Amino acid sequence: MEGRVIRFLHTADWQIGTQFGQFEPDEAAHLAQARLDTVRRIADEAAARNVDAVLVAGDVFDLQTVSDTVIRRLFGALQAFSGPWIMLPGNHDAALVESVWTRAQRLNCIAPNVRVVLEPGVLLLDACRCALLCAPLTQRITYDDTTGFFDTAETPPGYHRIGLAHGSVSGILQEGIDSSNPIAPTRAASARLDYLALGDWHGHLRVDERTWYAGTHEQDRFRANDPGFMLDVTLSEPGASPQVEAVRVGQYQWHRWDETISVPTDVDALKARLAALGSPDVLRVSVNGTAALADAEALHVALEEARARVRALRVDLSGLQVLPTADDLAELGAQSGYLAKVVARLRGLQEDPEADPQQLKRAAEALLLLARFQRELPRDARSA
């Protein structure tokens, strides 16, 4: 009997429970919640697309020590799709003797349609004539290819052979990988797989025709590697090439900007880019160069206005020198007297070749703060 056409979603690296400590607490809370909300979106999509299963290729949780409440919330987020969920432990949530998975079992919150694969082996989905060759990580780091047994694993005739694993395809991911867990680049061919569903790399990536990383469902790093997707995979008869569609499900998009200011129009251009951002954006911006005091003030206001619009913002202005012009000093009443000496002292700190970044940052902030205080005073009350 020939295998029928099957369709499944491939996702990975949810890392539920991520803390996002680099952001303010309210920003971090929203980013953490988005990871759960996007799982719910995947469940909704799975139901709407009427897929045969959802394969989660590792790192469902970020830590073994996430709270019981987080565990319950994760499994509660799956309810919209009543078909099979196949979950594979990765390096962040490895299937240790005592793990987040054993706690979930004790909490009795894993629904019957959710299969957590804690041991290597073959899992049969007879309803769609599919054999899943599963290689869960049973420790955080391994140096042997856990998918090695795929080559000799026997599966029923006419069943699709689909591999599910978490690790780094050797020679493909050169940098930035989460772990050293190696996977042979030829595994799909040597194991006669129709499809190899991988996790660990946080962007969706085609390794070859049958080998894919889904990437994280919700972007969590300032890296442009196509995160925020799930893969909708269709397989016809066994041996046929898979049809893979990348579907964006992520709520937020992260941007990293490294800006250099040298002329006033650079400030105007950056202000325009900031004005185009909105609630789906997470931004980390570093600004270097030099700016007149008035331009630096305008940039500071634009950044604070952007902070109120975007989901999260990190700003580094330590590389920006604030150099008051004669017009700036006249406007502030700082052409002579004590205030002029303060300004000169702060400029001297900025021009000190041995100054550390924090010193430069404090000097620029002090100039901006001084300018704000002076502008709030009546003109006739400003220092002269």
Side-chain angles (χ1 to χ4, degrees), residues 18 20-23 27-28 30-32 34-35 216 218-225 227 248 251-257 277 280-284 311-312 314:
T18 300
F20 297 106
Q22 60 185 306
F23 296 103
E27 295 173 331
H30 281 289
L31 295 174
R35 307 194 75 74
T216 184
E218 185 68 46
Q219 188 167 359
D220 58 354
R221 304 175 186 182
F222 292 104
R223 180 181 294 156
N225 60 353
R248 178 171 287 283
Q251 184 174 349
Y252 298 123
Q253 296 188 49
W254 293 40
H255 315 275
R256 178 171 181 172
W257 297 352
L277 297 177
D281 297 302
V282 176
L283 174 64
R284 175 180 178 181
R311 180 67 281 159
R314 289 189 67 197

Side-chain angles (χ1 to χ4, degrees), residues 257-278 281 283 285-287 291-307 309-310 313 317 320:
W257 297 352
D258 295 307
E259 305 292 325
T260 300
I261 303 298
S262 56
V263 293
T265 53
D266 292 336
V267 174
D268 294 335
L270 180 52
K271 286 167 58 181
R273 292 180 69 196
L274 289 167
L277 297 177
D281 297 302
L283 174 64
V285 58
S286 299
V287 183
L293 182 55
D295 290 331
E297 285 184 281
L299 177 57
H300 186 267
V301 169
L303 286 165
E304 291 309 305
E305 290 175 346
R307 187 185 301 279
R309 293 193 309 273
V310 301
L313 176 64
L317 298 178
L320 181 66

Side-chain angles (χ1 to χ4, degrees), residues 121-135:
V122 178
L123 175 62
L124 298 181
L125 299 181
D126 293 314
C128 58
R129 299 180 65 78
C130 173
L132 294 172
L133 287 66
C134 302

